[in-house]
Amino acid sequence: MTTGTPARETRHIVVDTDTGIDDALALLYLAGRDDAEISAITSVYGNTPVEAALTNIARVQKLAGLEDVLVARGAAGPIDGEPRIAGHVHGRDGLGDLWSDPIAPKNLSPLSSAELLVELGRSKPGYYDLLPVGPLTNLGLALEIEPELLMLYRSVVIMGGSGPFPPLGTVQMVDANIHNDAEAARRVFAAPRRQLVMVGVNVTAHTIVDEQAVQALHRAGTEWGTFSAQVLEAYMDFYQYSWGRRVSPAHDGLAAALLVHPEWITSATTGPVNITSDGFATRAHLMRTATGLPVSWQSSPAPDTVVVLDVDREAFLADFVRVLSGH
């Protein structure tokens, strides 16, 4: 007879990332969990140019002992138009310009990110979970190769989108991941899937790593804690002008956590997601108002997406800081 808590099922995760600060922390968080295995990492432009994204992947791999994990070089810009690089948010190098030594992934695939996403999905249908936390360009290109791409993954959890339309008079944070490649996002939300979960800025913008959390990381006295605190301090250099405090949202970390802890989703709904633009920001929205009514125009047909509306922030943030502390 055995007693105790049953072991959690291990998720085998492919992370598609534009490796800025919150991406790096999401990678480190997954690396520190017993119930998550990072099976491959595909890079893309966004928070930083794609070459810097590769450098930042290598830096996290070195810190986390993941240097054998396969990495791929991805898209350097969107399917249409020019790339928008968020150097003003993440620093020129994507990690707050804290390091000067160039490093590269030790296990770089000869395939592009899009090609590797297709190969992995085809090799073991229903085995891998896919976590895109950057612009969706690699997925959009992969869908050209394999229109059933999302069907090949057990689940796809996207950090991106804006949930339903907000209450009247509410202004939402711009979602760079959708805004950076509207065509790729349109392809992804229209594609057939097993399960597609949208973790949008409607929930991530309110999931805040505060000053006390950063101090706890500083006090941890570990390599992981020091790295996490340093890059968060750089992130807060930008976000302090949003709220007047040195805090930051845990955008990508929350999406990573909800992939392995779906029970932390306390409210969600399902329905079609379309790509919209008001001439200023391009967004992925559930085609419903804040009160659950249909929108006032004819929306484009799309399969149902699971749209996260609220989460257990206390449970997530406590676990996030604990894992990043390196204990």
Side-chain angles (χ1 to χ4, degrees), residues 22-81:
D22 55 327
D23 306 68
L25 295 180
L27 285 170
L28 198 60
Y29 175 72
L30 291 176
R33 298 192 58 92
D34 293 334
D35 53 5
E37 174 196 86
I38 299 178
S39 300
I41 307 171
T42 54
S43 63
V44 69
Y45 75 96
N47 291 328
T48 194
V50 68
E51 291 300 328
L54 283 166
T55 291
N56 297 342
I57 289 169
R59 202 172 299 286
V60 175
Q61 286 182 300
K62 183 177 180 181
L63 177 63
L66 296 177
E67 290 174 297
D68 291 337
V69 172
L70 188 62
V71 178
R73 177 183 285 104
I79 292 172
D80 295 319

Side-chain angles (χ1 to χ4, degrees), residues 19 55 155 165 213 242 250:
T19 336
T55 291
S155 73
F165 285 84
S242 297

Side-chain angles (χ1 to χ4, degrees), residues 270-318:
T270 60
V273 169
N274 283 188
I275 307 306
T276 68
S277 177
D278 58 7
F280 170 69
T282 299
R283 298 182 181 275
H285 269 304
L286 176 70
M287 291 291 98
R288 294 179 194 154
T289 68
T291 57
L293 297 174
V295 297
S296 59
W297 65 91
Q298 183 67 41
S299 60
S300 301
D304 279 353
T305 293
V306 177
V307 179
V308 178
L309 302 177
D310 207 355
V311 299
D312 186 341
R313 291 176 177 81
E314 184 176 349
F316 160 67
L317 288 167

Side-chain angles (χ1 to χ4, degrees), residues 157-327:
V157 177
I158 292 173
M159 193 279 112
S162 300
F165 285 84
L168 296 179
T170 301
V171 177
Q172 287 187 322
M173 182 179 289
V174 173
D175 170 23
N177 289 344
I178 303 301
H179 188 66
N180 277 344
D181 196 335
E183 172 57 23
R186 184 195 64 76
R187 294 180 187 183
V188 170
F189 285 103
R193 74 289 303 268
R194 291 172 183 252
Q195 183 185 57
L196 180 62
V197 180
M198 184 170 82
V199 183
V201 295
N202 56 304
V203 289
T204 65
H206 306 289
T207 306
I208 302 296
V209 179
D210 65 13
E211 299 92 338
Q212 289 74 25
V214 176
Q215 289 308 309
L217 292 169
H218 277 299
R219 292 194 302 267
T222 64
E223 285 188 286
W224 284 36
T226 298
F227 173 89
S228 300
Q230 286 178 324
V231 297
L232 279 168
E233 291 282 8
Y235 212 24
M236 292 171 179
D237 287 345
F238 170 78
Y239 275 110
Q240 64 186 348
Y241 298 112
S242 297
W243 297 296
R245 290 176 54 185
R246 291 186 60 76
V247 299
S248 61
H251 295 296
D252 296 343
L254 180 62
L258 296 181
L259 194 160
V260 293
H261 270 287
E263 70 273 15
W264 288 345
I265 299 172
T266 59
S267 179
T269 189
T270 60
V273 169
N274 283 188
I275 307 306
T276 68
S277 177
D278 58 7
F280 170 69
T282 299
R283 298 182 181 275
H285 269 304
L286 176 70
M287 291 291 98
R288 294 179 194 154
T289 68
T291 57
L293 297 174
V295 297
S296 59
W297 65 91
Q298 183 67 41
S299 60
S300 301
D304 279 353
T305 293
V306 177
V307 179
V308 178
L309 302 177
D310 207 355
V311 299
D312 186 341
R313 291 176 177 81
E314 184 176 349
F316 160 67
L317 288 167
D319 192 59
F320 192 57
V321 174
R322 178 189 63 81
V323 174
L324 294 184
S325 294
H327 294 312

Side-chain angles (χ1 to χ4, degrees), residues 12-23:
H12 306 276
I13 303 169
V14 178
V15 183
D16 186 70
T17 174
D18 56 343
T19 336
I21 290 168
D22 55 327
D23 306 68

